[in-house]
Amino acid sequence: MRIENEMLSRFNTEANLQMNSTEVTLSQELDFFFDNVLDTVVDYFKEEVTV
C-alpha cells in the first residue's frame, strides 16, 4: 500500500508540474499574440491618422 501511495503521489506531482508548465507556455503564447495584435492595431491607426 505504501508503494502504491508513493507512486500515486509522484504521478500527481508530475501531472501538476506538466499542467503548470503548459499553462505558463499557453499564457506566454497568448501574451505574445495579443502584443502583436495590439502593435498591429496601433500601427494601423497611426497610419490612418497620418494619411
Side-chain angles (χ1 to χ4, degrees), residues 1-29:
M1 285 297 277
R2 193 171 118 194
I3 293 174
E4 290 175 356
N5 287 338
E6 286 181 21
M7 290 178 70
L8 284 174
S9 68
R10 286 182 186 173
F11 175 75
N12 287 337
T13 304
E14 288 178 13
N16 286 338
L17 287 175
Q18 287 177 352
M19 286 177 60
N20 288 340
S21 67
T22 303
E23 288 173 3
V24 168
T25 304
L26 181 60
S27 172
Q28 289 172 347
E29 287 180 11

Side-chain angles (χ1 to χ4, degrees), residues 20-50:
N20 288 340
S21 67
T22 303
E23 288 173 3
V24 168
T25 304
L26 181 60
S27 172
Q28 289 172 347
E29 287 180 11
L30 286 174
D31 288 345
F32 181 73
F33 173 75
F34 284 116
D35 285 345
N36 286 336
V37 169
L38 288 175
D39 288 345
T40 304
V41 169
V42 167
D43 289 342
Y44 174 77
F45 283 110
K46 281 181 180 177
E47 290 174 5
E48 288 295 314
V49 168
T50 358

